[in-house]
Amino acid sequence: MLILALLAAVQAAPALTDVKAFGDWAVACDNLRRCEAAALLASEDADGAPPIAVVREAGPTGALSVTVAPDGDYKGAYRLEVDGKSLASGNLGGAEVSVTGAAAAQLVDAMLKGQSMRLIGADGKLLSQASLKGIAATLRYFDAEQGRAGGVTALVAKGPKPADTVPGAPATPQVRFVRPSGAAAPLSAALRGAMGKQSDCDSAYGEGEGERPETETYPLGGGKTLALVPCGSGAYNFSTVPFVVEGGKAVVAHFDHASGWTEAEGVATLVNADWDPAKGTLSSYTKARGLGDCGNSESYVWDGAMFRLVEARGMGECRGSTNWLRMWKAEAVAR
């Protein structure tokens, strides 16, 4: 029975997709075959940020959209240009310009033939811009991952195959979780000391390393408590080892997927951990540098035995984009 349970756990482990880079664009297609691309700066040392993204949903009729945001607060008239040619205009009243439907297809076609895209405000003010280097390879990747290559719905790899040959979106994995309830169990000094010793976290706050932060505790439900043991910090990342406490005993929390942190020797380490009791989610957010333009993040729910991944995002290129791309998505369903 134990072997069967272990095999089931392995089979249920999420298989994350990769974030790839083509020229000045990063792209990821998740487990639902939803593809998203984000514009990048030419190098890590370049200034500004290109808040421009292209998204296409899976399936024969998968919706296409292009969103462009100003690099800063702006409200008023705008026009969207590719190589100086205006392709869309209007009045920006929200956080971004969103182009969908036939207009998005027209814009993407122009992007494939162009060198740069710019969002222009009133009086010619430059609101944001992006290089289109690599956009053709990026959208060809969309076509391949979504099964569109050689068909009439492809963006780049066009061909005669009809739309109904494109596979539909896979079913969204469901993760059943326990809603948080009850009260967090108190931690005795002895239990807290044992957790610090097992995780080796207390050594991070030795002589000259600062005072040890308090251990946060939250009720998980079913008489179990989540304890987040501080485990050192850097300039912009704070490490935590999560324990599950029950009946006066504590064990290191287990996860069905480790990404952006390690579970070496049975000790999981989260980064910038956050517990949301309203949603019952535990998150980890690892910044590769202070700008927050690269790194990875995960969100988990508690199923009564382990934390299960419900969303993972990442950005491997430290080139201005704070839009980390989705690599995994599941639906959390309360037990």
Side-chain angles (χ1 to χ4, degrees), residues 56-62 142-144 146-154 157 166:
R56 192 165 199 189
E57 303 296 336
T61 60
F142 274 33
D143 292 341
Q146 294 184 328
R148 303 182 188 281
V152 296
T153 72
V166 177

Side-chain angles (χ1 to χ4, degrees), residues 41 43-46 48 236-237 285-295 317-321 324:
L41 295 172
S43 72
E44 293 186 11
D45 299 326
Y236 38 80
N237 287 318
Y285 176 82
T286 307
K287 294 198 295 184
R289 66 177 187 172
L291 293 176
D293 61 346
C294 49
E317 300 289 321
C318 300
R319 293 164 57 189
S321 177
W324 296 3

Side-chain angles (χ1 to χ4, degrees), residues 3 14 17 39 41 46 60 85 88 98 104 126-127 145 163 170 176 198 203 223 231 234 244 251 274 280 322:
I3 293 175
T17 58
L41 295 172
K85 180 181 179 180
S98 181
L126 179 62
L127 302 178
E145 292 297 300
R176 298 199 172 273
Q198 181 181 351
S203 65
C231 205
V244 176
V251 296
D274 181 68
T322 55

